[in-house]
Amino acid sequence: MKKTLLLLCISLNCLAAEPTSVRQAELRHLLKNDCGACHGLTLKGGMGPALLPDNLQGKPDEFLINTILQGRKGTAMPPWKAFMNTDDALWLVRQLRKVPQ
Amino acid sequence: MAFNVQAELRATGDLGLIIEREAGSALIIDTTEHKQLARIDKLGDLSHASVVFSRDQRFAYIFGRDGGLSKIDLLQDKLDKRIVQAGNSIGGAISQDGTLIAVSNYTPGGVKIFSADTLELVADIPADYDNGKLSKVVGLVDAPDQRFVFSLFDAGEIWTIDMSAPKKPKIEKFKNVGKFPYDGLITSDGRFYIAGLFGESGLALLDLWEPEKGIKRILPDYVKPDEQLPIYKMPHLEGWAVADDYIFVPAIGKNEVLVIDKQSWKLVKAIPVAGQPVFVMARPDGRQVWVNFATPENNKLQVIDVKTLNLQSTLTPGHAVLHMEFTPRGENVWVAVRDDDQVLVYDTHTLKEIAHLPAQKPNGVFFTSRANKIGF
């Protein structure tokens, strides 16, 4: 069933498969701790740039997803594709675009 | 009674701090009793925090990610002073004579130096390069003759500052040391400063006894670009690992600990380990070297036998092993296990857990014995 859905998604170029709630919790944990190690716990930046909504304005989803999955050559940003798929990365980008509470 | 007892008498020599990353708090702990004495709150963003101690071991200075510099009174369990001195910081150092606190900043890139007593600004040193750009500063350490040494991540430079005359800092710059120095260490004798390079293979070495000889590049080709693994967490060199004429450093982009001969500066051995090393720390007597790792291997600790240069043991303390600290003579090591909300204490001889303390998302353990060590 899952496989069929996945295939369907690929064929429709569908990116919107929302991660399960368990997976969302894992991704939130990763964002806070692993991304936070360089971008800061509050995402105001550190070794890596700030990732607050204002900082991401004008940067398309595809660009950000690609940065997360593939990393940025010549910088300290590693590829995270071993830890997540495109849906996960899109979900992270959407979280980052929300104004933090 | 010969004196009026107002509080429990306390010496500070076996105290320490545990940093609680998300709560922005620090626990004052007794390293002999394995117990918490107090919690100090409202210390800001401690997601990357480090600590130095005054030479009388009464005060702890905490460097927070958000530019906060907090001075804690370990005798009175209270925050003595706190300033926010920059937008984004990475660590600091205390001067040889204990009178100055230096902080290395990402934003604005540079070093600020404060009075250890009052936290008033003494010197502001922007890390300028390339006609007015500011570089992030990393690897800031104290050095003999009242100096500080640090590296400029973006500029690829190493600077020394002589603070003998606090009003007139004497800066010496070493340029083109290599691409993206990410951290630095100073050997316990205060002679050699070594910066690890992120942007290319190798390390940059400065002999502070002979600075006129400039920077020497060591291990220039230990990792080939095409075999470099992704780096999920920047390693740390703070907490030098010098044992038995060798320096132990984390490899960048390889799951190895590199053993470098301190005389020839050649690679003696690359020890394969469980993951990407983050902290590589020698037990104070140099008999063992302990290593923790970046995600996804951050549930492990590995112990290297310095006599044979082989792995002695692999421990699995729990989820997200972020930092460790040895007791002054090394019989115990305290291990911060973030996602299990605890700090474990191991006997380093038997490698058995002997105690554990609850702590909220701990990411660092720092003991007052650092007060008397160069580079801490």
Side-chain angles (χ1 to χ4, degrees), chain A residues 51-53 56-62 64 92-99:
Chain A
L51 299 179
L52 297 172
L56 301 182
Q57 244 178 24
K59 296 186 171 72
D61 285 356
E62 294 69 35
L64 295 171
L92 279 176
V93 168
R94 288 184 176 161
Q95 296 306 302
L96 290 171
R97 289 197 193 281
K98 288 182 191 163
V99 179

mmCIF file with all atom_site columns, all heavy atoms in Angstrom, chain A residues 51-53 56-62 64 92-99:
data_model
loop_
_atom_site.group_PDB
_atom_site.id
_atom_site.type_symbol
_atom_site.label_atom_id
_atom_site.label_alt_id
_atom_site.label_comp_id
_atom_site.label_asym_id
_atom_site.label_entity_id
_atom_site.label_seq_id
_atom_site.pdbx_PDB_ins_code
_atom_site.Cartn_x
_atom_site.Cartn_y
_atom_site.Cartn_z
_atom_site.occupancy
_atom_site.B_iso_or_equiv
_atom_site.pdbx_formal_charge
_atom_site.auth_seq_id
_atom_site.auth_comp_id
_atom_site.auth_asym_id
_atom_site.auth_atom_id
_atom_site.pdbx_PDB_model_num
ATOM 1   N N   . LEU A 1 51 ? 18.253 30.864 10.428 1.00 0.00 ? 51 LEU A N   1
ATOM 2   C CA  . LEU A 1 51 ? 17.214 30.190 9.633  1.00 0.00 ? 51 LEU A CA  1
ATOM 3   C C   . LEU A 1 51 ? 15.820 30.669 10.032 1.00 0.00 ? 51 LEU A C   1
ATOM 4   O O   . LEU A 1 51 ? 14.849 29.926 9.919  1.00 0.00 ? 51 LEU A O   1
ATOM 5   C CB  . LEU A 1 51 ? 17.303 28.669 9.823  1.00 0.00 ? 51 LEU A CB  1
ATOM 6   C CG  . LEU A 1 51 ? 18.600 27.990 9.397  1.00 0.00 ? 51 LEU A CG  1
ATOM 7   C CD1 . LEU A 1 51 ? 18.523 26.494 9.669  1.00 0.00 ? 51 LEU A CD1 1
ATOM 8   C CD2 . LEU A 1 51 ? 18.903 28.242 7.924  1.00 0.00 ? 51 LEU A CD2 1
ATOM 9   N N   . LEU A 1 52 ? 15.712 31.892 10.481 1.00 0.00 ? 52 LEU A N   1
ATOM 10  C CA  . LEU A 1 52 ? 14.405 32.438 10.862 1.00 0.00 ? 52 LEU A CA  1
ATOM 11  C C   . LEU A 1 52 ? 13.626 32.788 9.584  1.00 0.00 ? 52 LEU A C   1
ATOM 12  O O   . LEU A 1 52 ? 14.226 32.964 8.516  1.00 0.00 ? 52 LEU A O   1
ATOM 13  C CB  . LEU A 1 52 ? 14.592 33.658 11.758 1.00 0.00 ? 52 LEU A CB  1
ATOM 14  C CG  . LEU A 1 52 ? 15.279 33.323 13.091 1.00 0.00 ? 52 LEU A CG  1
ATOM 15  C CD1 . LEU A 1 52 ? 15.635 34.572 13.863 1.00 0.00 ? 52 LEU A CD1 1
ATOM 16  C CD2 . LEU A 1 52 ? 14.394 32.404 13.933 1.00 0.00 ? 52 LEU A CD2 1
ATOM 17  N N   . PRO A 1 53 ? 12.291 32.886 9.683  1.00 0.00 ? 53 PRO A N   1
ATOM 18  C CA  . PRO A 1 53 ? 11.487 33.109 8.475  1.00 0.00 ? 53 PRO A CA  1
ATOM 19  C C   . PRO A 1 53 ? 11.998 34.261 7.597  1.00 0.00 ? 53 PRO A C   1
ATOM 20  O O   . PRO A 1 53 ? 12.060 34.132 6.372  1.00 0.00 ? 53 PRO A O   1
ATOM 21  C CB  . PRO A 1 53 ? 10.106 33.424 9.053  1.00 0.00 ? 53 PRO A CB  1
ATOM 22  C CG  . PRO A 1 53 ? 10.071 32.679 10.349 1.00 0.00 ? 53 PRO A CG  1
ATOM 23  C CD  . PRO A 1 53 ? 11.463 32.720 10.893 1.00 0.00 ? 53 PRO A CD  1
ATOM 24  N N   . LEU A 1 56 ? 14.821 33.320 5.381  1.00 0.00 ? 56 LEU A N   1
ATOM 25  C CA  . LEU A 1 56 ? 14.531 32.363 4.307  1.00 0.00 ? 56 LEU A CA  1
ATOM 26  C C   . LEU A 1 56 ? 13.672 32.980 3.210  1.00 0.00 ? 56 LEU A C   1
ATOM 27  O O   . LEU A 1 56 ? 13.426 32.341 2.176  1.00 0.00 ? 56 LEU A O   1
ATOM 28  C CB  . LEU A 1 56 ? 13.825 31.129 4.886  1.00 0.00 ? 56 LEU A CB  1
ATOM 29  C CG  . LEU A 1 56 ? 14.608 30.375 5.964  1.00 0.00 ? 56 LEU A CG  1
ATOM 30  C CD1 . LEU A 1 56 ? 13.836 29.151 6.421  1.00 0.00 ? 56 LEU A CD1 1
ATOM 31  C CD2 . LEU A 1 56 ? 15.991 29.964 5.461  1.00 0.00 ? 56 LEU A CD2 1
ATOM 32  N N   . GLN A 1 57 ? 13.214 34.187 3.438  1.00 0.00 ? 57 GLN A N   1
ATOM 33  C CA  . GLN A 1 57 ? 12.368 34.832 2.443  1.00 0.00 ? 57 GLN A CA  1
ATOM 34  C C   . GLN A 1 57 ? 13.105 34.972 1.118  1.00 0.00 ? 57 GLN A C   1
ATOM 35  O O   . GLN A 1 57 ? 14.279 35.317 1.086  1.00 0.00 ? 57 GLN A O   1
ATOM 36  C CB  . GLN A 1 57 ? 11.954 36.220 2.937  1.00 0.00 ? 57 GLN A CB  1
ATOM 37  C CG  . GLN A 1 57 ? 10.454 36.295 3.146  1.00 0.00 ? 57 GLN A CG  1
ATOM 38  C CD  . GLN A 1 57 ? 10.008 37.626 3.667  1.00 0.00 ? 57 GLN A CD  1
ATOM 39  O OE1 . GLN A 1 57 ? 10.687 38.632 3.475  1.00 0.00 ? 57 GLN A OE1 1
ATOM 40  N NE2 . GLN A 1 57 ? 8.863  37.633 4.320  1.00 0.00 ? 57 GLN A NE2 1
ATOM 41  N N   . GLY A 1 58 ? 12.395 34.696 0.044  1.00 0.00 ? 58 GLY A N   1
ATOM 42  C CA  . GLY A 1 58 ? 13.005 34.809 -1.281 1.00 0.00 ? 58 GLY A CA  1
ATOM 43  C C   . GLY A 1 58 ? 13.790 33.570 -1.675 1.00 0.00 ? 58 GLY A C   1
ATOM 44  O O   . GLY A 1 58 ? 14.307 33.492 -2.785 1.00 0.00 ? 58 GLY A O   1
ATOM 45  N N   . LYS A 1 59 ? 13.913 32.618 -0.750 1.00 0.00 ? 59 LYS A N   1
ATOM 46  C CA  . LYS A 1 59 ? 14.592 31.367 -1.106 1.00 0.00 ? 59 LYS A CA  1
ATOM 47  C C   . LYS A 1 59 ? 13.525 30.292 -1.332 1.00 0.00 ? 59 LYS A C   1
ATOM 48  O O   . LYS A 1 59 ? 12.799 29.930 -0.409 1.00 0.00 ? 59 LYS A O   1
ATOM 49  C CB  . LYS A 1 59 ? 15.551 30.949 0.012  1.00 0.00 ? 59 LYS A CB  1
ATOM 50  C CG  . LYS A 1 59 ? 16.687 31.942 0.223  1.00 0.00 ? 59 LYS A CG  1
ATOM 51  C CD  . LYS A 1 59 ? 17.707 31.433 1.226  1.00 0.00 ? 59 LYS A CD  1
ATOM 52  C CE  . LYS A 1 59 ? 18.937 32.310 1.264  1.00 0.00 ? 59 LYS A CE  1
ATOM 53  N NZ  . LYS A 1 59 ? 18.689 33.629 1.910  1.00 0.00 ? 59 LYS A NZ  1
ATOM 54  N N   . PRO A 1 60 ? 13.417 29.802 -2.573 1.00 0.00 ? 60 PRO A N   1
ATOM 55  C CA  . PRO A 1 60 ? 12.343 28.848 -2.890 1.00 0.00 ? 60 PRO A CA  1
ATOM 56  C C   . PRO A 1 60 ? 12.488 27.520 -2.142 1.00 0.00 ? 60 PRO A C   1
ATOM 57  O O   . PRO A 1 60 ? 13.600 27.142 -1.756 1.00 0.00 ? 60 PRO A O   1
ATOM 58  C CB  . PRO A 1 60 ? 12.483 28.619 -4.400 1.00 0.00 ? 60 PRO A CB  1
ATOM 59  C CG  . PRO A 1 60 ? 13.661 29.384 -4.851 1.00 0.00 ? 60 PRO A CG  1
ATOM 60  C CD  . PRO A 1 60 ? 14.270 30.111 -3.713 1.00 0.00 ? 60 PRO A CD  1
ATOM 61  N N   . ASP A 1 61 ? 11.379 26.819 -1.944 1.00 0.00 ? 61 ASP A N   1
ATOM 62  C CA  . ASP A 1 61 ? 11.382 25.514 -1.277 1.00 0.00 ? 61 ASP A CA  1
ATOM 63  C C   . ASP A 1 61 ? 12.411 24.572 -1.891 1.00 0.00 ? 61 ASP A C   1
ATOM 64  O O   . ASP A 1 61 ? 13.150 23.894 -1.184 1.00 0.00 ? 61 ASP A O   1
ATOM 65  C CB  . ASP A 1 61 ? 9.994  24.855 -1.386 1.00 0.00 ? 61 ASP A CB  1
ATOM 66  C CG  . ASP A 1 61 ? 8.985  25.497 -0.440 1.00 0.00 ? 61 ASP A CG  1
ATOM 67  O OD1 . ASP A 1 61 ? 9.380  26.391 0.345  1.00 0.00 ? 61 ASP A OD1 1
ATOM 68  O OD2 . ASP A 1 61 ? 7.802  25.108 -0.509 1.00 0.00 ? 61 ASP A OD2 1
ATOM 69  N N   . GLU A 1 62 ? 12.420 24.522 -3.235 1.00 0.00 ? 62 GLU A N   1
ATOM 70  C CA  . GLU A 1 62 ? 13.304 23.555 -3.921 1.00 0.00 ? 62 GLU A CA  1
ATOM 71  C C   . GLU A 1 62 ? 14.765 23.801 -3.547 1.00 0.00 ? 62 GLU A C   1
ATOM 72  O O   . GLU A 1 62 ? 15.533 22.873 -3.318 1.00 0.00 ? 62 GLU A O   1
ATOM 73  C CB  . GLU A 1 62 ? 13.158 23.655 -5.447 1.00 0.00 ? 62 GLU A CB  1
ATOM 74  C CG  . GLU A 1 62 ? 11.804 23.247 -5.995 1.00 0.00 ? 62 GLU A CG  1
ATOM 75  C CD  . GLU A 1 62 ? 10.672 24.213 -5.632 1.00 0.00 ? 62 GLU A CD  1
ATOM 76  O OE1 . GLU A 1 62 ? 10.929 25.439 -5.571 1.00 0.00 ? 62 GLU A OE1 1
ATOM 77  O OE2 . GLU A 1 62 ? 9.545  23.742 -5.387 1.00 0.00 ? 62 GLU A OE2 1
ATOM 78  N N   . LEU A 1 64 ? 15.911 25.215 -0.797 1.00 0.00 ? 64 LEU A N   1
ATOM 79  C CA  . LEU A 1 64 ? 16.165 24.853 0.607  1.00 0.00 ? 64 LEU A CA  1
ATOM 80  C C   . LEU A 1 64 ? 16.178 23.329 0.795  1.00 0.00 ? 64 LEU A C   1
ATOM 81  O O   . LEU A 1 64 ? 17.020 22.791 1.516  1.00 0.00 ? 64 LEU A O   1
ATOM 82  C CB  . LEU A 1 64 ? 15.123 25.510 1.518  1.00 0.00 ? 64 LEU A CB  1
ATOM 83  C CG  . LEU A 1 64 ? 15.197 27.046 1.542  1.00 0.00 ? 64 LEU A CG  1
ATOM 84  C CD1 . LEU A 1 64 ? 14.003 27.636 2.280  1.00 0.00 ? 64 LEU A CD1 1
ATOM 85  C CD2 . LEU A 1 64 ? 16.499 27.529 2.185  1.00 0.00 ? 64 LEU A CD2 1
ATOM 86  N N   . LEU A 1 92 ? 10.334 20.145 7.016  1.00 0.00 ? 92 LEU A N   1
ATOM 87  C CA  . LEU A 1 92 ? 11.243 20.994 7.806  1.00 0.00 ? 92 LEU A CA  1
ATOM 88  C C   . LEU A 1 92 ? 11.242 22.428 7.295  1.00 0.00 ? 92 LEU A C   1
ATOM 89  O O   . LEU A 1 92 ? 11.189 23.375 8.074  1.00 0.00 ? 92 LEU A O   1
ATOM 90  C CB  . LEU A 1 92 ? 12.673 20.428 7.750  1.00 0.00 ? 92 LEU A CB  1
ATOM 91  C CG  . LEU A 1 92 ? 13.000 19.281 8.693  1.00 0.00 ? 92 LEU A CG  1
ATOM 92  C CD1 . LEU A 1 92 ? 14.416 18.772 8.435  1.00 0.00 ? 92 LEU A CD1 1
ATOM 93  C CD2 . LEU A 1 92 ? 12.857 19.698 10.155 1.00 0.00 ? 92 LEU A CD2 1
ATOM 94  N N   . VAL A 1 93 ? 11.284 22.565 5.962  1.00 0.00 ? 93 VAL A N   1
ATOM 95  C CA  . VAL A 1 93 ? 11.283 23.911 5.378  1.00 0.00 ? 93 VAL A CA  1
ATOM 96  C C   . VAL A 1 93 ? 10.011 24.646 5.786  1.00 0.00 ? 93 VAL A C   1
ATOM 97  O O   . VAL A 1 93 ? 10.047 25.820 6.171  1.00 0.00 ? 93 VAL A O   1
ATOM 98  C CB  . VAL A 1 93 ? 11.411 23.832 3.841  1.00 0.00 ? 93 VAL A CB  1
ATOM 99  C CG1 . VAL A 1 93 ? 11.131 25.180 3.195  1.00 0.00 ? 93 VAL A CG1 1
ATOM 100 C CG2 . VAL A 1 93 ? 12.801 23.336 3.453  1.00 0.00 ? 93 VAL A CG2 1
ATOM 101 N N   . ARG A 1 94 ? 8.875  23.936 5.764  1.00 0.00 ? 94 ARG A N   1
ATOM 102 C CA  . ARG A 1 94 ? 7.613  24.584 6.143  1.00 0.00 ? 94 ARG A CA  1
ATOM 103 C C   . ARG A 1 94 ? 7.613  24.980 7.617  1.00 0.00 ? 94 ARG A C   1
ATOM 104 O O   . ARG A 1 94 ? 7.052  26.011 7.982  1.00 0.00 ? 94 ARG A O   1
ATOM 105 C CB  . ARG A 1 94 ? 6.435  23.661 5.824  1.00 0.00 ? 94 ARG A CB  1
ATOM 106 C CG  . ARG A 1 94 ? 6.215  23.587 4.320  1.00 0.00 ? 94 ARG A CG  1
ATOM 107 C CD  . ARG A 1 94 ? 5.013  22.761 3.941  1.00 0.00 ? 94 ARG A CD  1
ATOM 108 N NE  . ARG A 1 94 ? 4.823  22.809 2.497  1.00 0.00 ? 94 ARG A NE  1
ATOM 109 C CZ  . ARG A 1 94 ? 4.104  21.941 1.816  1.00 0.00 ? 94 ARG A CZ  1
ATOM 110 N NH1 . ARG A 1 94 ? 3.488  20.948 2.444  1.00 0.00 ? 94 ARG A NH1 1
ATOM 111 N NH2 . ARG A 1 94 ? 3.984  22.057 0.511  1.00 0.00 ? 94 ARG A NH2 1
ATOM 112 N N   . GLN A 1 95 ? 8.225  24.146 8.445  1.00 0.00 ? 95 GLN A N   1
ATOM 113 C CA  . GLN A 1 95 ? 8.331  24.508 9.864  1.00 0.00 ? 95 GLN A CA  1
ATOM 114 C C   . GLN A 1 95 ? 9.175  25.768 10.034 1.00 0.00 ? 95 GLN A C   1
ATOM 115 O O   . GLN A 1 95 ? 8.831  26.657 10.796 1.00 0.00 ? 95 GLN A O   1
ATOM 116 C CB  . GLN A 1 95 ? 8.991  23.373 10.669 1.00 0.00 ? 95 GLN A CB  1
ATOM 117 C CG  . GLN A 1 95 ? 8.203  22.087 10.706 1.00 0.00 ? 95 GLN A CG  1
ATOM 118 C CD  . GLN A 1 95 ? 6.787  22.287 11.193 1.00 0.00 ? 95 GLN A CD  1
ATOM 119 O OE1 . GLN A 1 95 ? 6.569  22.772 12.295 1.00 0.00 ? 95 GLN A OE1 1
ATOM 120 N NE2 . GLN A 1 95 ? 5.819  21.952 10.356 1.00 0.00 ? 95 GLN A NE2 1
ATOM 121 N N   . LEU A 1 96 ? 10.269 25.816 9.279  1.00 0.00 ? 96 LEU A N   1
ATOM 122 C CA  . LEU A 1 96 ? 11.179 26.964 9.409  1.00 0.00 ? 96 LEU A CA  1
ATOM 123 C C   . LEU A 1 96 ? 10.508 28.260 8.961  1.00 0.00 ? 96 LEU A C   1
ATOM 124 O O   . LEU A 1 96 ? 10.800 29.324 9.486  1.00 0.00 ? 96 LEU A O   1
ATOM 125 C CB  . LEU A 1 96 ? 12.451 26.731 8.580  1.00 0.00 ? 96 LEU A CB  1
ATOM 126 C CG  . LEU A 1 96 ? 13.393 25.649 9.097  1.00 0.00 ? 96 LEU A CG  1
ATOM 127 C CD1 . LEU A 1 96 ? 14.494 25.376 8.073  1.00 0.00 ? 96 LEU A CD1 1
ATOM 128 C CD2 . LEU A 1 96 ? 14.005 26.057 10.435 1.00 0.00 ? 96 LEU A CD2 1
ATOM 129 N N   . ARG A 1 97 ? 9.611  28.139 7.996  1.00 0.00 ? 97 ARG A N   1
ATOM 130 C CA  . ARG A 1 97 ? 8.958  29.356 7.471  1.00 0.00 ? 97 ARG A CA  1
ATOM 131 C C   . ARG A 1 97 ? 7.906  29.908 8.430  1.00 0.00 ? 97 ARG A C   1
ATOM 132 O O   . ARG A 1 97 ? 7.477  31.037 8.286  1.00 0.00 ? 97 ARG A O   1
ATOM 133 C CB  . ARG A 1 97 ? 8.313  29.059 6.113  1.00 0.00 ? 97 ARG A CB  1
ATOM 134 C CG  . ARG A 1 97 ? 9.329  28.849 4.988  1.00 0.00 ? 97 ARG A CG  1
ATOM 135 C CD  . ARG A 1 97 ? 8.632  28.994 3.645  1.00 0.00 ? 97 ARG A CD  1
ATOM 136 N NE  . ARG A 1 97 ? 9.455  28.518 2.544  1.00 0.00 ? 97 ARG A NE  1
ATOM 137 C CZ  . ARG A 1 97 ? 10.462 29.218 1.998  1.00 0.00 ? 97 ARG A CZ  1
ATOM 138 N NH1 . ARG A 1 97 ? 10.761 30.409 2.476  1.00 0.00 ? 97 ARG A NH1 1
ATOM 139 N NH2 . ARG A 1 97 ? 11.150 28.710 0.990  1.00 0.00 ? 97 ARG A NH2 1
ATOM 140 N N   . LYS A 1 98 ? 7.479  29.065 9.388  1.00 0.00 ? 98 LYS A N   1
ATOM 141 C CA  . LYS A 1 98 ? 6.498  29.550 10.373 1.00 0.00 ? 98 LYS A CA  1
ATOM 142 C C   . LYS A 1 98 ? 7.207  30.439 11.386 1.00 0.00 ? 98 LYS A C   1
ATOM 143 O O   . LYS A 1 98 ? 8.325  30.131 11.804 1.00 0.00 ? 98 LYS A O   1
ATOM 144 C CB  . LYS A 1 98 ? 5.861  28.371 11.119 1.00 0.00 ? 98 LYS A CB  1
ATOM 145 C CG  . LYS A 1 98 ? 4.907  27.561 10.281 1.00 0.00 ? 98 LYS A CG  1
ATOM 146 C CD  . LYS A 1 98 ? 4.298  26.458 11.131 1.00 0.00 ? 98 LYS A CD  1
ATOM 147 C CE  . LYS A 1 98 ? 3.547  25.466 10.256 1.00 0.00 ? 98 LYS A CE  1
ATOM 148 N NZ  . LYS A 1 98 ? 3.299  24.196 10.967 1.00 0.00 ? 98 LYS A NZ  1
ATOM 149 N N   . VAL A 1 99 ? 6.535  31.478 11.803 1.00 0.00 ? 99 VAL A N   1
ATOM 150 C CA  . VAL A 1 99 ? 7.111  32.338 12.832 1.00 0.00 ? 99 VAL A CA  1
ATOM 151 C C   . VAL A 1 99 ? 7.108  31.557 14.152 1.00 0.00 ? 99 VAL A C   1
ATOM 152 O O   . VAL A 1 99 ? 6.091  31.009 14.545 1.00 0.00 ? 99 VAL A O   1
ATOM 153 C CB  . VAL A 1 99 ? 6.298  33.635 12.963 1.00 0.00 ? 99 VAL A CB  1
ATOM 154 C CG1 . VAL A 1 99 ? 6.885  34.525 14.050 1.00 0.00 ? 99 VAL A CG1 1
ATOM 155 C CG2 . VAL A 1 99 ? 6.270  34.356 11.632 1.00 0.00 ? 99 VAL A CG2 1
#
